[in-house]
Amino acid sequence: MESNLAIDALSALAQTTRLEAFRLLVRHEPGGLPAGDVAEALETPQNTMSAHLAILARAGLVRGERRGRSIIYRADLDGFRALNLFLLKDCCAGSPAVCAPLIAELAPCC
C-alpha cells in the first residue's frame, strides 16, 4: 500500500459516522447490509449515509454490490488488512517480541 492510499483510508475513518458504519459492516461480515439498513442503524439520513459509504468505498474500506434494487455494502477486509499491514510493517524495528502483545490481543477477536 502506498502512503497516499493509507492517508485516504485513515481520513475516511477519521469521521464518526464513517467509523461507525465501517465497524457495523465488519460486524455483519460476510453477508453485509443494505445501505438503508446502515443508515437506519446509525440514525443517519439515507442520502447522507450514501455519501459516507462512497467515501469509504473510494478509500478501499467497503464494497457495494447491487442486488436487485438494493446495494449491499460489505467491509473490504482485504483493504483493511492492507492498511494495517502498512501501519505495522516496520513495527518494532525488527524485534518481534515488541509486537507480540499486539498480535496476541488481535488473535482472539479474529
Side-chain angles (χ1 to χ4, degrees):
M1 174 175 273
E2 296 178 19
S3 292
N4 289 342
L5 295 174
I7 290 167
D8 289 345
L10 292 168
S11 295
L13 293 172
Q15 195 279 343
T16 305
T17 303
R18 290 191 295 267
L19 178 61
E20 291 305 315
F22 179 75
R23 294 183 73 211
L24 177 68
L25 291 171
V26 168
R27 286 192 301 272
H28 283 85
E29 274 299 305
L33 287 173
D37 289 2
V38 177
E40 184 178 320
L42 299 179
E43 299 177 350
T44 303
Q46 287 190 14
N47 60 337
T48 302
M49 183 53 64
S50 292
H52 286 306
L53 290 168
I55 290 167
L56 288 167
R58 281 192 301 274
L61 295 170
V62 303
R63 288 176 290 159
E65 176 184 313
R66 183 165 292 282
R67 289 190 197 154
R69 294 180 60 186
S70 296
I71 299 178
I72 306 300
Y73 283 92
R74 294 184 54 212
D76 187 336
L77 298 180
D78 290 334
F80 186 60
R81 180 175 31 253
L83 175 61
N84 281 289
L85 288 173
F86 174 83
L87 293 171
L88 296 173
K89 186 175 182 178
D90 301 319
C91 179
C92 315
S95 177
V98 177
C99 287
L102 171 65
I103 293 166
E105 194 168 333
L106 289 174
C109 73
C110 300

